[in-house]
Amino acid sequence: MILHTLNKSPSNEALSEQLSQVIQADDQVILLEDGVYHSLLENNDTSHWLGIAAHVHALNDDLKARGLTSNNSAIKTIDYADFVRLSSECDKVIAWY
Amino acid sequence: MTQQPERDAQGFIVDLNTWTPTLAIEIASEEGIALTDDHWEVITLLRNFYMEFSISPAMRILVKIVKEALGEDKGNSIYLLTLFPQSPAKLASKISGLPKPTNCL
Amino acid sequence: MPNDNKQKPILIVNQSAPYGNANAKESLDLALASSAFEQALSILFTGDGIYQLLPKQSPDDIQSKNLLQMLKALPIYGVEQLYVDQQSLTERGITELDTQLPIVLVNSVEISRLYHDAQTVFRF
Amino acid sequence: MIFSVLVLGAPYSSGASYSAYRFAQAALDADHNESHNKNHSANHNECHTIHRIFFYQDGIHSSSQLATPPQDEFNLYQAWQDLQSTYDLDLVTCIAAAVRRGVIDSGEAKRHNKLQHNMSTNFSLSGLGQLVEANALSDRVITFGR
């Protein structure tokens, strides 16, 4: 299981495409910085990482800062301690930026 | 003796185009080395490598280049240490008029 | 569990065009440093990174070092194959890459495998 | 678990340095609150160490001693220095990336004939080999990109 971190907004389509190419069904994603804007989207497309990932998390501090709340039930709100825990639970962490 | 081209605080020449074999002899003698044919073999290899790849090689690759061109007897760190004492890659590149190899400690 | 004896393969992903920023150069610096420590290393060129492999680069007049020339040293540093994303080539209409580079074209399944086989991925 | 952290973005220009700081802090806190978390994750002994934090590319700017944010803004530079002294962290700034961009310590200043130097003494300048070594000796490398 790979943990992917993503810190860019959905307008960076090339980045999302690259991530979608690599991600597998048991992988997890953490949205941080501008990556948290992805939480506004619903995407069940099975060729898009949002539709593939087993779990998608978003850093609460970064959501809050940008006026977002976690209305998207598919996305779990986490803090940095969870970030650390998820990093240790997965096999490796890949950063997308 | 003519005016030497500009050198940095560690003795490397600043403008790589100002290198000449005469300058190599002068830099080497500052380091207490009298250049022999064995030194020139290595200097030529280093300069050719830099011309081809724009990289000033650190020790491991220097050994590899020398080994490929001149064989096992010379392609080892002991031999290079006898020619260019203490820090062969750094010293050889200085005398050869190349940039200091990138620090990879 | 940490295991110091185990070789942990590194994957370096190049996704930036050369010269416009420092990514290509600083990626290469990491590749050369890894090889000095005899680390297992794979390099993948994808997206705009494939522009690094175009032939006939001569950046003298923009006062830059020739990155293509430096990439050609990679086999001497122990990197025998450069993986290139076939789809990125097609999307960018590129039909010709430098012939002196040891290029292996890869599809999306093979790219995914490169990521999954690596212990650590560095992207530039 | 042994972590190393790679920081690639400069403070203010990107969130990389701040996010990395928060991650490092949380990892070190998890270590301190080990007993606190016992019930939360029975199978995991939450004992984390940070082997090294490596600053590369624009990330090297985090080690500048001269940066002075206004009083009403968070001083990330100071925060890194404090975190370093509290936990005796190994904060390493890539020498090739830093000297190019004008962040140097007293040793490099001497070597390059510069009258000033500006690197915080909480950081050390070293080669990319320190990143390669950190990767080999850590369970995970966590990258914070621009």
Side-chain angles (χ1 to χ4, degrees):
Chain A
M1 187 262 281
I2 298 180
L3 175 65
H4 303 272
T5 67
L6 176 62
N7 76 345
K8 291 288 179 287
S9 78
S11 68
N12 194 329
E13 288 171 22
L15 192 63
S16 273
E17 261 175 48
Q18 281 190 55
L19 172 53
S20 301
Q21 192 180 31
V22 170
I23 200 166
Q24 292 188 351
D26 58 345
D27 290 355
Q28 303 196 31
V29 178
I30 291 180
L31 305 172
L32 73 157
E33 300 167 18
D34 287 348
V36 298
Y37 289 115
H38 285 276
S39 66
L40 294 168
L41 307 174
E42 296 273 354
N43 197 332
N44 299 318
D45 180 355
T46 51
S47 65
H48 190 278
W49 63 264
L50 259 171
I52 300 171
H55 298 285
V56 180
H57 317 267
L59 272 178
N60 189 41
D61 291 354
D62 285 334
L63 281 169
K64 210 177 100 193
R66 289 162 178 78
L68 305 178
T69 45
S70 53
N71 287 333
N72 188 337
S73 58
I75 292 175
K76 205 180 153 219
T77 303
I78 58 165
D79 62 15
Y80 276 92
D82 297 319
F83 187 173
V84 172
R85 180 178 48 80
L86 287 165
S87 301
S88 67
E89 286 171 4
C90 66
D91 302 319
K92 64 178 165 246
V93 186
I94 301 179
W96 301 87
Y97 47 87
Chain B
M1 196 163 68
T2 49
Q3 181 74 36
Q4 263 201 8
E6 194 188 346
R7 313 254 298 275
D8 71 13
Q10 297 169 81
F12 285 78
I13 58 172
V14 173
D15 177 356
L16 303 185
N17 296 316
T18 58
W19 185 88
T20 60
T22 315
L23 182 63
I25 294 167
E26 286 172 24
I27 298 173
S29 79
E30 288 168 19
E31 303 282 346
I33 299 171
L35 293 184
T36 64
D37 287 350
D38 288 338
H39 293 97
W40 283 109
E41 267 181 346
V42 176
I43 292 169
T44 306
L45 281 173
L46 259 182
R47 287 189 61 82
N48 287 346
F49 184 85
Y50 187 80
M51 296 266 271
E52 191 172 354
F53 300 115
S54 293
I55 295 173
S56 191
M59 190 58 185
R60 196 177 78 89
I61 298 301
L62 175 60
V63 169
K64 194 169 174 180
I65 298 165
V66 174
K67 189 190 277 179
E68 270 168 25
L70 307 173
E72 298 271 347
D73 287 352
K74 295 179 175 177
N76 62 73
S77 49
I78 302 297
Y79 175 77
L80 292 170
L81 270 164
T82 58
L83 292 181
F84 304 98
Q86 280 163 356
S87 180
K90 188 179 160 194
L91 196 49
S93 59
K94 188 194 287 190
I95 295 169
S96 306
L98 306 184
K100 187 181 157 194
T102 313
N103 191 342
C104 293
L105 291 172
Chain C
M1 286 293 106
N3 182 347
D4 297 351
N5 300 320
K6 197 179 69 184
Q7 259 282 29
K8 297 182 175 183
I10 294 171
L11 173 65
I12 292 180
V13 180
N14 288 311
Q15 42 140 21
S16 308
Y19 309 116
N21 59 50
N23 283 348
K25 173 66 168 58
E26 293 191 309
S27 167
L28 181 69
D29 284 348
L30 178 58
L32 300 183
S34 311
S35 91
F37 288 78
E38 298 181 355
Q39 300 289 299
L41 172 67
S42 302
I43 304 182
L44 168 67
F45 293 82
T46 186
D48 285 352
I50 60 171
Y51 293 133
Q52 294 181 30
L53 310 173
L54 292 181
K56 292 183 279 195
Q57 297 174 33
S58 44
D60 307 17
D61 292 345
I62 57 167
Q63 323 295 340
S64 283
K65 288 185 69 169
N66 191 325
L67 282 159
L68 179 66
Q69 214 182 359
M70 289 189 270
L71 287 174
K72 287 178 185 169
L74 282 170
I76 299 170
Y77 282 77
V79 182
E80 306 290 347
Q81 296 184 323
L82 305 181
Y83 298 101
V84 176
D85 182 356
Q86 169 74 67
Q87 195 189 329
S88 300
L89 287 178
T90 312
E91 284 168 1
R92 284 163 182 76
I94 293 170
T95 51
E96 194 194 349
L97 297 176
D98 192 277
T99 52
Q100 290 175 46
L101 293 167
I103 281 165
V104 180
L105 295 179
V106 285
N107 61 30
S108 65
V109 175
E110 291 161 319
I111 289 171
S112 184
R113 193 178 307 136
L114 282 174
Y115 276 90
H116 284 264
D117 288 349
Q119 173 62 34
T120 306
V121 179
F122 295 111
R123 296 172 57 260
F124 289 91
Chain D
M1 175 124 320
I2 305 172
F3 289 111
S4 280
V5 175
L6 174 61
V7 184
L8 301 178
Y12 301 107
S13 305
S14 89
S17 186
Y18 178 74
S19 297
Y21 169 76
R22 290 290 301 274
F23 181 91
Q25 207 180 31
L28 296 162
D29 274 352
D31 184 19
H32 275 225
N33 299 333
E34 195 182 333
S35 53
H36 185 75
N37 282 339
K38 203 160 51 185
N39 298 330
H40 184 63
S41 50
N43 297 326
H44 294 274
N45 184 8
E46 300 245 2
C47 185
H48 302 307
T49 55
I50 294 191
H51 175 68
R52 179 169 298 139
I53 302 182
F54 194 86
F55 297 83
Y56 190 40
Q57 299 203 280
D58 290 349
I60 61 94
H61 288 291
S62 303
S63 61
S64 168
Q65 170 106 289
L66 295 181
T68 314
Q71 290 107 312
D72 61 349
E73 289 180 17
F74 181 66
N75 190 335
L76 180 55
Y77 302 90
Q78 188 61 50
W80 274 120
Q81 293 172 27
D82 294 344
L83 197 70
Q84 193 282 327
S85 26
T86 307
Y87 294 98
D88 195 24
L89 282 178
D90 191 19
L91 305 185
V92 176
T93 303
C94 174
I95 187 165
V99 172
R100 265 201 185 92
R101 290 172 174 84
V103 175
I104 60 173
D105 64 5
S106 57
E108 288 305 297
K110 242 175 244 143
R111 194 169 311 172
H112 297 284
N113 279 333
K114 303 285 182 184
L115 295 176
Q116 281 91 20
H117 53 89
N118 60 340
M119 205 182 85
S120 157
T121 51
N122 296 84
F123 293 73
S124 55
L125 272 181
S126 195
L128 273 169
Q130 294 290 307
L131 174 58
V132 180
E133 192 247 27
N135 177 57
L137 299 184
S138 307
D139 300 300
R140 306 275 182 280
V141 175
I142 314 294
T143 299
F144 292 87
R146 276 173 285 188

